[in-house]
Amino acid sequence: SDTTDAGDDAELRTPIVAVLGHVDHGKTSLLDEIRGSAVTAGEAGAITQHIGATAVPLSTISEIAGSLVDPTDFDLPGLLFIDTPGHHSFSTLRSRGGALADIAILVVDVNDGFQPQTHEAIDILKRTQTPFIVAANKIDTVPGWNPNPDTPVQETLEKQSDRAESRLNEQLYEIIGQLSDEGFSADMYWRVQNFRENIGVVPVSAETGEGIPDLLTVLMGLSQRYLKAEMSIDVDGPGVGTVLEVKDERGFGTTLDTVLYDGTIRADDTIVVGGKNEPIVTDVRALLQPRPLSEIRTEKQFEQVDAVRAAAGVKIAAPDLDDAMAGAPVRVVRDRNLEEVVAEVRAELADIEVVTEEQG
Ligand code: GDP
């Protein structure tokens, strides 16, 4: 939304959501299902494919969630999902010493319960103090399950046999117990009053879409309730982001796939980027975003844009990026003092190196 109030540039940005969990528990399927239901829910433009991320606006979430969400309860603009799931990307992607993601979904297969990478993910979430919810996935695999595609959990539960329902409940309480062993008090999300003190468990199926309305509702509610203050940013200020990936792109040379979490980056900005040895100072040559699906038949994959506002994924083309690193900070200089910005990036780089050593 545009503000004409020149004195006050603070606006709310989209919270950044990451998906973690053990291999094969359904992280990729869950992201696909969220994207799929967002496409079905709305007209064209319901979701925006960013570089490395997918933006789902509040209006689309409210359509998917139906009666679960009253859009007037929210003023955050929606959710931005990082497309690469897994805790490797989660721990590489940091911002100002914390996690780049503001909130996380921990995916746990209801048949499999906690597995080694589930514990690892929990450790990382604890260390970075990232609020999270648990998606108890694959509820459709419970013996005797009667699938009701894309419905809220309570609605599909009413249509299950007693046997299927109690079987699912056993599996869910197993997961709640495992969370408790990790020191978290957890419960079915509809019984959770305070999501800061209790972890909400949301039964879902990435296969049938059951529980997806609930998952989006809980993410939105948790963000609105507990993250709103952190989401208030000067969207027109100098941009700050984290490099997801350094990539060679035909016609553009080395580019940075970046998630911007503060401010704006413009096509004529000077930026400072974390490099292997020292911060790189360079001028943006082009800002690129994926071409909308409707235009994808043209041979150009990207379109050039003049400016990008947080939170968003963007590909930055610029000279001298060969030494840039995934996980490194990107900062726009604009009207700030160059040396100050370089010093900030250097300090952030030192912080990243410490983390890499801890993990290595
Ligand atoms: P990831 O490794 O965590 O990203 O897991 P994937 O998303 O690749 O899923 C692993 C396997 O589980 C794939 O064969 C999926 O089709 C399957 N799968 C994921 N979610 C569900 C679900 O909710 N129900 C069922 N029946 N299968 C699922």
Side-chain angles (χ1 to χ4, degrees):
S1 64
D2 282 60
T3 171
T4 45
D5 187 352
D8 178 14
D9 288 337
E11 276 184 49
L12 295 169
R13 72 157 167 86
T14 325
I16 300 170
V17 187
V19 179
L20 287 81
H22 193 71
V23 63
D24 284 345
H25 280 196
K27 300 180 291 295
T28 312
S29 309
L30 191 66
L31 278 166
D32 287 347
E33 182 61 28
I34 290 169
R35 276 192 289 260
S37 24
V39 170
T40 328
E43 325 72 64
I47 59 167
T48 321
Q49 198 55 56
H50 288 219
I51 296 289
T54 306
V56 186
L58 174 61
S59 58
T60 307
I61 290 171
S62 132
E63 242 171 276
I64 296 171
S67 61
L68 296 180
V69 160
D70 176 354
T72 60
D73 288 344
F74 299 97
D75 47 16
L76 291 177
L79 299 167
L80 184 76
F81 292 88
I82 296 179
D83 288 339
T84 330
H87 59 258
H88 178 72
S89 69
F90 184 89
S91 25
T92 324
L93 302 178
R94 299 161 64 79
S95 67
R96 297 184 186 126
L100 172 63
D102 302 299
I103 183 168
I105 305 173
L106 178 63
V107 181
V108 183
D109 182 332
V110 288
N111 305 297
D112 232 14
F114 271 42
Q115 293 298 323
Q117 291 166 331
T118 319
H119 291 287
E120 283 173 33
I122 292 243
D123 287 344
I124 294 166
L125 292 168
K126 276 184 188 165
R127 184 156 32 103
T128 55
Q129 297 187 330
T130 307
F132 67 97
I133 59 172
V134 171
N137 190 33
K138 309 199 189 184
I139 60 171
D140 64 293
T141 62
V142 168
W145 190 258
N146 166 28
N148 296 281
D150 305 324
T151 54
V153 173
Q154 308 273 13
E155 204 175 308
T156 193
L157 280 177
E158 280 167 20
K159 296 175 180 161
Q160 305 304 323
S161 64
D162 289 348
R163 193 142 176 258
E165 188 175 349
S166 58
R167 184 76 176 259
L168 175 63
N169 276 332
E170 273 170 38
Q171 292 175 323
L172 294 172
Y173 280 109
E174 185 80 19
I175 291 172
I176 288 171
Q178 286 165 321
L179 282 160
S180 157
D181 294 342
E182 288 278 1
F184 291 103
S185 132
D187 208 340
M188 309 299 183
Y189 86 85
W190 53 85
R191 294 202 199 105
V192 173
Q193 301 284 337
N194 182 336
F195 283 88
R196 270 233 192 267
E197 284 167 15
N198 297 292
I199 304 295
V201 175
V202 187
V204 299
S205 165
E207 187 77 23
T208 66
E210 289 163 293
I212 300 294
D214 310 64
L215 189 73
L216 293 173
T217 304
V218 175
L219 282 172
M220 204 63 214
L222 208 166
S223 305
Q224 178 74 28
R225 193 93 183 258
Y226 302 106
L227 298 176
K228 189 174 158 180
E230 295 158 47
M231 298 302 105
S232 176
I233 62 163
D234 174 6
V235 284
D236 294 319
V240 188
T242 301
V243 177
L244 294 175
E245 229 180 308
V246 182
K247 268 191 189 163
D248 257 339
E249 215 65 73
R250 198 153 59 94
F252 295 103
T254 307
T255 65
L256 305 178
D257 288 0
T258 305
V259 168
L260 203 68
Y261 60 84
D262 197 357
T264 298
I265 184 166
R266 299 186 191 137
D268 60 357
D269 273 325
T270 296
I271 55 171
V272 181
V273 185
K276 280 178 192 129
N277 303 307
E278 56 195 321
I280 303 161
V281 179
T282 184
D283 293 326
V284 174
R285 186 186 283 154
L287 297 178
L288 305 165
Q289 291 206 303
R291 218 160 257 284
L293 279 177
S294 53
E295 298 171 23
I296 211 108
R297 73 187 77 184
T298 63
E299 56 195 61
K300 285 184 184 153
Q301 201 184 344
F302 304 112
E303 68 180 351
Q304 294 203 24
V305 294
D306 293 333
V308 175
R309 296 175 131 200
V314 59
K315 184 184 277 295
I316 304 171
D320 305 322
L321 292 179
D322 290 341
D323 281 347
M325 299 184 300
V330 179
R331 286 182 172 271
V332 167
V333 179
R334 194 118 10 111
D335 44 15
R336 302 190 55 205
N337 175 293
L338 176 64
E339 286 316 310
E340 234 174 71
V341 181
V342 169
E344 277 174 15
V345 169
R346 187 171 288 132
E348 286 169 327
L349 274 176
D351 184 46
I352 290 171
E353 274 149 25
V354 170
V355 172
T356 320
E357 279 162 22
E358 272 174 11
Q359 287 172 348

